[in-house]
Amino acid sequence: MSNRAQWGTRAGFILAAVGSAIGLGNIWRFPYVAYENGGGAFFLPYLVALFTAGIPILILEFTIGHKYRGSSPLTFARLNKKAEWVGWMQVLISFGIATYYAVIIGWAMSYSIFSFNLKWGDETGGFLMGDYLKVGDVGPAGSFVPGVVIPLIIVWVIVLGILFKGIKKGIEVANKIFIPTLVVLFLIIVIRALTLEGATTGLNAFFKPDWSQLGNASVWTAAYTQIFFSLSICFAIMITYSSYLPRKSDINNNAFITGLSNSGFELLAGIGVFSALGFLAVSTQSEVADVAASGVGLAFAVFPQIINQMPFLNELFGFLFFASLVLAGLSSLVSICETYIAAFQEKFNISRTKAVAIGGGLSALISLIYATEGGVHFLTLVDQYVLVVGVGLAGLFEVIIIAWGLKKVKELQQYNNSLSDIKIGAWWVICLTVITPLLLGYMMVKQLIDDFTAPFIDGYPLSLVIPWGWVPFALTLVGGIVFATLKWKSAEALETNKSEEVSS
Ligand code: PFF
């Protein structure tokens, strides 16, 4: 495909990759995961995970995306037709994640407006679940919640609008605006949080090392999981994004810049979040441990409390915080949608506009399920199974197939080194062929045993876990295999590669 879309500039590609990596995972997941798993001591397993799995896989994905120039399914098919299903599995997982990630960005959008009059009142948890989300019984969907449907529609209009415009004029331009803005907003938040009374109490709690935790296998698993999620690897995203790189592009430098920027932002978020938590603990005379939280609880229940307690400019701080979540979320959502748009476009040989309309439209429609009274329960389960189980397994299949099945690591290493300033050596080969498969394999076996033997997941009965957890997960696997058996509508899809490889 000689007329394949391309990034306009190197900075454009890096900003898009960093934009995908920096998301809700950095802001609401990392600080608590670090705090819970050894505080300052967590940085050791975190850095080990970054350098033995995160950056090596990022390099792998940038390399294959660049070499085979396709969406994840086309890249895998060009590696070997029998491996195409892994690409589809990743794409379908991304499709599933996009449907609920959009809803969370919608919540953040509502909350950035609520900040103007601190609409959540004093009972922030009650406001979130009752007044705003109108959470109903576990099981039925109930009716739509207009307060969620409206921002959700706005999110999709923005995201699909960006995607319609294409790679250079849409995704690249959006990230060039979103990411610098996000960094500036977030720096203001962190500086403000650091100057609040009690900030040092929070930071002490965050950084205090508990070295004894390092003997705990679950701490290491937490570090690897965080790195995988945070770097957006094994989601098909980085393969798709790097397929739009011009032929002459440095791979390794780009991967290091992306990986280190993401971790830098993660550290910044940890400092900001824990300074603010320290302030809340001191001003309500409680312990940091009592106020610390992650995920939805941290962003939509604890942060509103922090905002309530601030001495002045509460509204502005609130707005900046939620606007940051929106920006970080949008750039990640765009990246995850691009995976299936590119895949549909190539497989069915349709125009980009059609692929965005069908793929994007379908995910927007499905996302409405989570904008109902029962939606939060569905969201929690799909998140656990499609994301935690699905992405982990897809990553495991990716490294095993490439490193062991197709034995491609050496060839990819040569290709990569011929393009990059920093050359990769034995470190990369060992990480991909030994360390990552073994560690991911261990993690996934343990995860599956835990999930299979638990009668209740997060308090949910099996009658809900099966349709909203295991079925969506199984659909990504079965669907992956089914899509892989369908014919490529463009006859040259698999052929083009051969000529491109020869000419490259
Ligand atoms: N790296 C993203 C994050 O940290 O939030 C992970 C991600 C989630 C990417 C959802 C894309 C996405 F749609």
Side-chain angles (χ1 to χ4, degrees):
M1 287 178 201
S2 47
N3 56 352
R4 186 173 187 75
Q6 279 194 2
W7 302 107
T9 59
R10 177 175 182 188
F13 165 71
I14 293 177
L15 281 173
V18 170
S20 171
I22 295 181
L24 301 176
N26 300 57
I27 301 175
W28 79 20
R29 198 170 184 281
F30 171 77
Y32 189 74
V33 169
Y35 169 72
E36 239 196 343
N37 289 285
F42 183 72
F43 288 97
L44 183 69
Y46 177 86
L47 286 175
V48 171
L50 177 66
F51 287 105
T52 58
I55 293 185
I57 294 184
L58 195 57
I59 292 178
L60 172 70
E61 297 198 340
F62 280 180
T63 308
I64 56 175
H66 183 266
K67 183 171 197 287
Y68 298 101
R69 302 182 88 67
S71 59
S72 188
L74 184 55
T75 293
F76 275 98
R78 284 173 170 175
L79 261 161
N80 187 303
K81 180 73 180 90
K82 290 199 194 101
E84 185 184 329
W85 65 274
V86 183
W88 282 111
M89 184 185 173
Q90 294 184 344
V91 161
L92 294 176
I93 289 171
S94 289
F95 184 90
I97 295 172
T99 60
Y100 68 83
Y101 206 76
V103 181
I104 301 175
I105 302 171
W107 300 349
M109 216 173 244
S110 300
Y111 268 65
S112 55
I113 307 293
F114 296 166
S115 299
F116 288 116
N117 59 351
L118 309 183
K119 191 169 173 195
W120 44 70
D122 291 333
E123 276 299 316
T124 56
F127 175 85
L128 171 68
M129 302 307 258
D131 302 273
Y132 179 56
L133 295 179
K134 307 203 186 307
V135 178
D137 292 339
V138 171
S143 30
F144 284 115
V145 180
V148 180
V149 174
I150 295 165
L152 179 60
I153 294 173
I154 300 176
V155 167
W156 282 117
V157 169
I158 298 173
V159 169
L160 298 188
I162 294 170
L163 290 163
F164 270 124
K165 287 202 153 282
I167 305 304
K168 204 193 298 187
K169 293 206 182 111
I171 303 181
E172 185 166 342
V173 170
N175 279 292
K176 277 186 172 164
I177 300 169
F178 287 178
I179 300 306
T181 314
L182 170 66
V183 171
V184 172
L185 295 193
F186 212 73
L187 277 174
I188 299 174
I189 293 175
V190 174
I191 292 169
R192 178 63 191 120
L194 275 170
T195 51
L196 286 166
E197 199 197 329
T200 40
T201 312
L203 290 178
N204 282 337
F206 180 57
F207 284 113
K208 197 172 120 226
D210 177 359
W211 298 106
S212 67
Q213 291 259 34
L214 293 187
N216 204 337
S218 66
V219 169
W220 290 82
T221 313
Y224 278 87
T225 311
Q226 177 62 24
I227 287 290
F228 276 89
F229 181 68
S230 182
L231 271 181
S232 301
I233 45 180
C234 313
F235 281 78
I237 296 175
M238 295 304 185
I239 297 178
T240 313
Y241 268 9
S242 54
S243 74
Y244 303 124
L245 277 169
R247 270 290 170 218
K248 264 181 162 324
S249 299
D250 189 302
I251 305 275
N252 296 335
N253 247 333
N254 287 349
F256 276 100
I257 295 172
T258 307
L260 297 178
S261 311
N262 178 60
S263 291
F265 192 90
E266 212 143 59
L267 183 62
L268 195 67
I271 293 172
V273 165
F274 269 84
S275 302
L277 288 172
F279 161 70
L280 181 63
V282 167
S283 57
T284 56
Q285 283 160 3
S286 41
E287 296 293 320
V288 174
D290 298 329
V291 292
S294 74
V296 175
L298 173 77
F300 300 103
V302 178
F303 253 85
Q305 281 179 32
I306 294 170
I307 297 160
N308 285 347
Q309 295 286 337
M310 293 187 58
F312 53 88
L313 292 180
N314 320 38
E315 296 84 359
L316 181 66
F317 184 84
F319 175 77
L320 292 182
F321 176 74
F322 289 110
S324 303
L325 285 185
V326 172
L327 288 178
L330 283 176
S331 50
S332 296
L333 183 59
V334 164
S335 73
I336 211 162
C337 293
E338 179 59 26
T339 65
Y340 48 87
I341 285 163
F344 292 161
Q345 194 186 342
E346 289 166 356
K347 182 85 177 185
F348 303 109
N349 199 20
I350 51 176
S351 68
R352 178 171 183 92
T353 314
K354 245 194 196 152
V356 176
I358 298 173
L362 204 61
S363 40
L365 214 60
I366 295 177
S367 72
L368 285 170
I369 301 174
Y370 307 105
T372 57
E373 292 163 348
V376 176
H377 305 302
F378 307 151
L379 191 152
T380 311
L381 288 167
V382 177
D383 183 49
Q384 169 68 18
Y385 287 85
V386 174
L387 193 126
V388 179
V389 180
V391 175
L393 272 183
L396 183 63
F397 295 146
E398 176 177 315
V399 283
I400 289 188
I401 288 178
I402 295 178
W404 294 357
L406 305 174
K407 300 203 180 354
K408 284 275 184 185
V409 174
K410 280 262 179 268
E411 183 189 323
L412 294 173
Q413 184 191 16
Q414 271 173 13
Y415 176 84
N416 170 314
N417 280 344
S418 70
L419 290 162
S420 307
D421 278 345
I422 311 173
K423 312 286 177 211
I424 43 169
W427 154 77
W428 191 67
V429 178
I430 294 170
C431 287
L432 285 185
T433 48
V434 186
I435 302 180
T436 311
L438 287 182
L439 265 163
L440 252 184
Y442 164 81
M443 276 165 53
M444 290 325 294
V445 169
K446 193 170 166 308
Q447 177 82 45
L448 287 173
I449 293 176
D450 284 355
D451 283 350
F452 265 120
T453 50
F456 290 97
I457 310 286
D458 287 335
Y460 289 113
L462 272 185
S463 58
L464 207 65
V465 169
I466 293 175
W468 290 98
W470 289 115
V471 169
F473 163 70
L475 280 178
T476 65
L477 194 60
V478 176
I481 295 169
V482 171
F483 268 106
T485 56
L486 302 178
K487 251 196 143 64
W488 287 87
K489 279 279 185 298
S490 122
E492 6 31 305
L494 297 178
E495 290 305 311
T496 316
N497 170 54
K498 294 196 183 103
S499 54
E500 282 212 47
E501 267 200 272
V502 173
S503 65
S504 66

Coordinates of all heavy atoms in Angstrom, one line a residue, residues 109-165:
M109 N -16.1 14.6 31.9 CA -16.6 15.8 31.3 C -17.7 16.4 32.2 O -17.6 17.6 32.4 CB -17.1 15.4 29.9 CG -16.9 16.4 28.9 SD -17.4 15.7 27.3 CE -15.9 15.6 26.4
S110 N -18.6 15.6 32.6 CA -19.7 16.2 33.5 C -19.0 16.8 34.7 O -19.4 17.9 35.2 CB -20.6 15.0 34.0 OG -21.2 14.4 32.9
Y111 N -18.1 16.1 35.3 CA -17.5 16.6 36.6 C -16.7 17.9 36.4 O -16.6 18.7 37.3 CB -16.6 15.5 37.2 CG -17.4 14.7 38.2 CD1 -18.5 13.9 37.8 CD2 -17.2 14.7 39.6 CE1 -19.2 13.1 38.7 CE2 -17.9 14.0 40.5 CZ -18.9 13.2 40.0 OH -19.7 12.4 40.9
S112 N -16.2 18.1 35.2 CA -15.4 19.3 35.0 C -16.5 20.5 35.0 O -16.2 21.6 35.4 CB -14.6 19.3 33.7 OG -15.4 19.0 32.6
I113 N -17.7 20.2 34.5 CA -18.7 21.2 34.6 C -19.2 21.4 36.1 O -19.4 22.5 36.6 CB -19.9 20.9 33.7 CG1 -19.4 20.6 32.3 CG2 -21.0 22.0 33.7 CD1 -18.9 21.8 31.5
F114 N -19.4 20.2 36.7 CA -19.9 20.3 38.1 C -18.9 21.1 39.0 O -19.3 21.6 40.0 CB -20.0 18.9 38.7 CG -21.0 18.0 38.1 CD1 -21.0 16.6 38.3 CD2 -22.0 18.5 37.2 CE1 -22.0 15.8 37.7 CE2 -22.9 17.7 36.6 CZ -22.9 16.3 36.8
S115 N -17.6 21.1 38.6 CA -16.7 21.8 39.4 C -17.0 23.3 39.6 O -16.7 23.9 40.7 CB -15.3 21.8 38.7 OG -14.8 20.5 38.6
F116 N -17.7 23.9 38.6 CA -18.0 25.3 38.7 C -18.8 25.7 39.9 O -18.7 26.8 40.4 CB -18.6 25.8 37.4 CG -17.6 25.9 36.3 CD1 -17.8 25.0 35.2 CD2 -16.5 26.7 36.3 CE1 -16.9 25.1 34.1 CE2 -15.6 26.7 35.3 CZ -15.8 25.9 34.2
N117 N -19.7 24.8 40.4 CA -20.4 25.1 41.6 C -20.3 24.0 42.6 O -21.2 23.9 43.5 CB -21.9 25.4 41.3 CG -22.6 24.3 40.6 OD1 -21.9 23.3 40.2 ND2 -23.9 24.3 40.4
L118 N -19.3 23.2 42.5 CA -19.1 22.1 43.4 C -20.4 21.3 43.7 O -20.8 21.1 44.8 CB -18.5 22.6 44.8 CG -17.3 23.5 44.7 CD1 -16.8 23.9 46.1 CD2 -16.2 22.9 44.0
K119 N -21.0 20.9 42.5 CA -22.3 20.4 42.5 C -22.4 19.1 43.4 O -23.5 18.7 43.8 CB -22.7 20.1 41.1 CG -24.2 19.8 40.9 CD -24.6 19.8 39.5 CE -26.0 19.2 39.5 NZ -26.4 18.9 38.1
W120 N -21.3 18.4 43.6 CA -21.3 17.1 44.3 C -21.6 17.2 45.8 O -21.9 16.3 46.4 CB -20.0 16.4 44.0 CG -18.8 17.3 44.2 CD1 -18.4 17.8 45.3 CD2 -18.0 17.8 43.2 NE1 -17.3 18.6 45.1 CE2 -17.0 18.6 43.8 CE3 -17.9 17.6 41.8 CZ2 -16.0 19.2 43.0 CZ3 -16.9 18.2 41.1 CH2 -16.0 19.0 41.7
G121 N -21.6 18.4 46.3 CA -21.9 18.6 47.7 C -20.9 18.0 48.7 O -19.8 17.7 48.3
D122 N -21.4 17.7 49.9 CA -20.4 17.1 50.9 C -20.4 15.6 50.8 O -19.3 15.0 51.1 CB -20.9 17.5 52.3 CG -20.7 19.0 52.5 OD1 -19.8 19.5 51.8 OD2 -21.4 19.6 53.3
E123 N -21.5 15.0 50.4 CA -21.5 13.5 50.3 C -21.1 13.1 48.9 O -21.9 12.7 48.1 CB -22.9 13.0 50.6 CG -23.3 12.9 52.1 CD -22.4 11.9 52.7 OE1 -22.2 10.8 52.1 OE2 -21.9 12.2 53.8
T124 N -19.8 13.1 48.6 CA -19.4 13.0 47.3 C -19.6 11.5 46.7 O -20.0 11.4 45.5 CB -17.9 13.3 47.1 OG1 -17.2 12.5 48.0 CG2 -17.6 14.8 47.4
G125 N -19.4 10.6 47.6 CA -19.7 9.2 47.1 C -21.1 8.9 46.8 O -21.5 8.3 45.8
G126 N -22.0 9.4 47.7 CA -23.4 9.3 47.5 C -23.9 10.0 46.2 O -24.7 9.5 45.4
F127 N -23.3 11.2 46.0 CA -23.7 12.0 44.8 C -23.3 11.2 43.5 O -24.1 11.1 42.6 CB -22.9 13.4 44.8 CG -23.1 14.1 43.6 CD1 -24.3 15.0 43.4 CD2 -22.3 14.1 42.5 CE1 -24.5 15.7 42.3 CE2 -22.5 14.8 41.3 CZ -23.6 15.6 41.2
L128 N -22.1 10.6 43.6 CA -21.6 9.9 42.4 C -22.6 8.7 42.0 O -23.1 8.6 40.9 CB -20.2 9.4 42.6 CG -19.7 8.4 41.5 CD1 -19.4 9.1 40.2 CD2 -18.4 7.7 42.0
M129 N -22.8 7.9 43.0 CA -23.5 6.7 42.8 C -25.1 6.9 42.6 O -25.7 6.3 41.8 CB -23.3 5.6 43.9 CG -21.9 5.2 44.0 SD -21.1 4.7 42.5 CE -21.1 3.0 42.7
G130 N -25.5 7.9 43.4 CA -27.0 8.1 43.4 C -27.4 9.2 42.5 O -28.0 8.9 41.4
D131 N -27.0 10.5 42.8 CA -27.5 11.6 42.0 C -27.0 11.6 40.6 O -27.7 11.9 39.6 CB -27.1 12.9 42.7 CG -27.6 13.0 44.1 OD1 -28.8 13.5 44.2 OD2 -26.9 12.6 45.0
Y132 N -25.7 11.2 40.4 CA -25.2 11.3 39.1 C -25.4 10.0 38.3 O -26.1 10.0 37.2 CB -23.7 11.7 39.1 CG -23.1 11.8 37.7 CD1 -23.7 12.6 36.7 CD2 -22.0 11.0 37.3 CE1 -23.2 12.7 35.4 CE2 -21.5 11.1 36.0 CZ -22.1 11.9 35.1 OH -21.6 12.0 33.8
L133 N -24.8 8.9 38.7 CA -24.9 7.7 37.9 C -26.2 7.0 38.1 O -26.6 6.1 37.3 CB -23.8 6.8 38.3 CG -22.3 7.2 38.0 CD1 -21.3 6.2 38.4 CD2 -22.2 7.5 36.5
K134 N -27.0 7.3 39.1 CA -28.3 6.6 39.4 C -28.1 5.1 39.4 O -28.9 4.4 38.7 CB -29.3 7.1 38.4 CG -29.5 8.6 38.3 CD -30.8 9.1 37.8 CE -30.9 10.6 37.6 NZ -30.5 11.4 38.7
V135 N -27.1 4.6 40.0 CA -26.8 3.2 40.0 C -27.9 2.4 40.5 O -28.4 2.7 41.6 CB -25.5 2.9 40.8 CG1 -25.2 1.4 40.7 CG2 -24.3 3.7 40.2
G136 N -28.4 1.4 39.7 CA -29.5 0.6 40.1 C -29.0 -0.8 40.6 O -27.8 -1.0 40.9
D137 N -30.0 -1.7 40.7 CA -29.7 -3.1 41.1 C -28.6 -3.7 40.2 O -28.5 -3.4 39.1 CB -30.9 -3.9 41.1 CG -31.9 -3.4 42.2 OD1 -31.5 -2.8 43.1 OD2 -33.1 -3.7 42.0
V138 N -28.0 -4.7 40.8 CA -27.0 -5.5 40.1 C -27.8 -6.4 39.1 O -28.6 -7.2 39.6 CB -26.1 -6.3 41.0 CG1 -25.3 -7.3 40.2 CG2 -25.3 -5.5 41.9
G139 N -27.6 -6.3 37.8 CA -28.2 -7.2 36.9 C -28.9 -6.5 35.8 O -28.4 -6.4 34.7
P140 N -30.1 -5.9 36.0 CA -30.8 -5.3 34.9 C -30.2 -4.0 34.5 O -29.6 -3.3 35.3 CB -32.2 -5.0 35.4 CG -32.1 -5.0 36.9 CD -30.9 -5.9 37.3
A141 N -30.4 -3.6 33.2 CA -29.8 -2.4 32.7 C -30.6 -1.2 33.2 O -30.0 -0.1 33.5 CB -29.7 -2.4 31.2
G142 N -31.9 -1.3 33.3 CA -32.7 -0.2 33.7 C -32.8 0.8 32.6 O -32.4 0.6 31.5
S143 N -33.1 2.1 33.0 CA -33.3 3.1 31.9 C -32.0 3.8 31.7 O -31.0 3.7 32.5 CB -34.4 4.0 32.2 OG -34.6 4.2 33.5
F144 N -31.9 4.6 30.6 CA -30.7 5.4 30.3 C -30.6 6.5 31.3 O -31.7 7.0 31.8 CB -30.8 6.0 28.9 CG -30.6 5.0 27.8 CD1 -31.6 4.6 26.9 CD2 -29.3 4.4 27.7 CE1 -31.3 3.7 25.9 CE2 -29.0 3.5 26.7 CZ -30.1 3.1 25.8
V145 N -29.4 6.9 31.6 CA -29.2 8.1 32.5 C -28.8 9.2 31.7 O -27.7 9.3 31.1 CB -28.1 7.7 33.5 CG1 -27.9 8.9 34.5 CG2 -28.4 6.4 34.3
P146 N -29.7 10.2 31.5 CA -29.4 11.3 30.5 C -28.1 12.1 30.9 O -27.4 12.5 30.0 CB -30.6 12.2 30.7 CG -31.7 11.4 31.4 CD -31.0 10.3 32.1
G147 N -27.8 12.2 32.1 CA -26.6 12.9 32.6 C -25.4 12.3 32.1 O -24.3 12.9 32.1
V148 N -25.4 11.0 31.8 CA -24.3 10.3 31.3 C -24.3 10.2 29.7 O -23.3 10.3 29.0 CB -24.2 8.8 31.9 CG1 -23.0 8.1 31.4 CG2 -24.1 8.9 33.4
V149 N -25.6 10.0 29.2 CA -25.7 9.8 27.8 C -25.2 11.1 27.0 O -24.5 11.0 26.0 CB -27.2 9.5 27.4 CG1 -27.3 9.5 25.9 CG2 -27.6 8.2 28.0
I150 N -25.6 12.2 27.5 CA -25.2 13.5 26.8 C -23.7 13.7 26.7 O -23.2 13.8 25.6 CB -25.9 14.7 27.4 CG1 -27.4 14.5 27.2 CG2 -25.4 16.0 26.8 CD1 -28.3 15.4 28.0
P151 N -22.9 13.6 27.8 CA -21.5 13.8 27.6 C -20.9 12.6 26.8 O -19.9 12.9 26.0 CB -20.9 13.8 29.1 CG -22.0 13.2 29.9 CD -23.3 13.6 29.2
L152 N -21.5 11.5 26.9 CA -21.0 10.3 26.1 C -21.1 10.6 24.6 O -20.1 10.4 23.8 CB -21.8 9.1 26.5 CG -21.4 7.8 25.7 CD1 -19.9 7.4 26.0 CD2 -22.3 6.6 26.1
I153 N -22.2 11.2 24.2 CA -22.4 11.6 22.8 C -21.3 12.6 22.4 O -20.7 12.5 21.3 CB -23.8 12.1 22.5 CG1 -24.8 10.9 22.7 CG2 -23.9 12.7 21.1 CD1 -26.3 11.3 22.7
I154 N -21.1 13.6 23.3 CA -20.1 14.6 23.0 C -18.7 14.0 22.8 O -18.0 14.3 21.9 CB -20.0 15.7 24.1 CG1 -21.4 16.4 24.2 CG2 -18.9 16.7 23.8 CD1 -21.5 17.4 25.3
V155 N -18.4 13.0 23.7 CA -17.1 12.3 23.6 C -16.9 11.7 22.2 O -15.9 11.8 21.5 CB -16.9 11.3 24.7 CG1 -15.7 10.3 24.4 CG2 -16.7 11.9 26.0
W156 N -18.0 11.0 21.8 CA -17.9 10.3 20.5 C -17.8 11.3 19.3 O -17.2 11.0 18.3 CB -19.1 9.3 20.3 CG -18.9 8.0 21.1 CD1 -19.6 7.6 22.1 CD2 -17.8 7.1 20.9 NE1 -19.1 6.4 22.6 CE2 -18.0 6.1 21.9 CE3 -16.7 7.0 20.1 CZ2 -17.1 5.0 22.0 CZ3 -15.8 5.9 20.2 CH2 -16.1 4.9 21.1
V157 N -18.6 12.4 19.4 CA -18.5 13.4 18.3 C -17.1 13.9 18.2 O -16.5 13.9 17.1 CB -19.5 14.5 18.6 CG1 -19.2 15.7 17.6 CG2 -20.9 14.1 18.5
I158 N -16.4 14.2 19.3 CA -15.0 14.6 19.3 C -14.1 13.6 18.7 O -13.3 13.8 17.8 CB -14.5 15.1 20.7 CG1 -15.4 16.2 21.2 CG2 -13.0 15.4 20.6 CD1 -15.0 16.6 22.7
V159 N -14.2 12.3 19.2 CA -13.3 11.3 18.9 C -13.5 10.9 17.4 O -12.5 10.8 16.6 CB -13.4 10.1 19.8 CG1 -12.7 8.8 19.3 CG2 -12.9 10.4 21.2
L160 N -14.7 10.7 17.0 CA -14.9 10.3 15.6 C -14.6 11.4 14.6 O -14.1 11.2 13.5 CB -16.4 9.8 15.4 CG -16.8 8.6 16.2 CD1 -18.1 8.1 15.8 CD2 -15.7 7.5 16.1
G161 N -14.8 12.7 15.1 CA -14.4 13.8 14.3 C -12.9 13.8 14.0 O -12.5 14.0 12.9
I162 N -12.1 13.5 15.1 CA -10.7 13.5 14.9 C -10.3 12.3 14.0 O -9.5 12.5 13.1 CB -10.0 13.3 16.3 CG1 -10.2 14.5 17.2 CG2 -8.5 12.9 16.1 CD1 -9.8 14.3 18.6
L163 N -11.0 11.2 14.2 CA -10.6 10.0 13.4 C -11.0 10.2 11.9 O -10.3 9.7 11.0 CB -11.3 8.8 14.0 CG -10.7 8.3 15.3 CD1 -11.6 7.4 16.0 CD2 -9.3 7.7 15.1
F164 N -12.1 10.8 11.6 CA -12.5 11.1 10.3 C -11.4 11.9 9.5 O -11.2 11.7 8.3 CB -13.8 11.9 10.2 CG -15.1 11.1 10.2 CD1 -16.1 11.2 11.1 CD2 -15.3 10.1 9.2 CE1 -17.2 10.4 11.1 CE2 -16.4 9.3 9.2 CZ -17.4 9.5 10.1
K165 N -10.8 12.8 10.2 CA -9.8 13.6 9.6 C -8.5 12.9 9.2 O -7.6 13.5 8.6 CB -9.5 14.8 10.5 CG -10.7 15.8 10.5 CD -10.2 17.2 10.9 CE -11.0 18.3 10.4 NZ -10.8 18.7 9.0

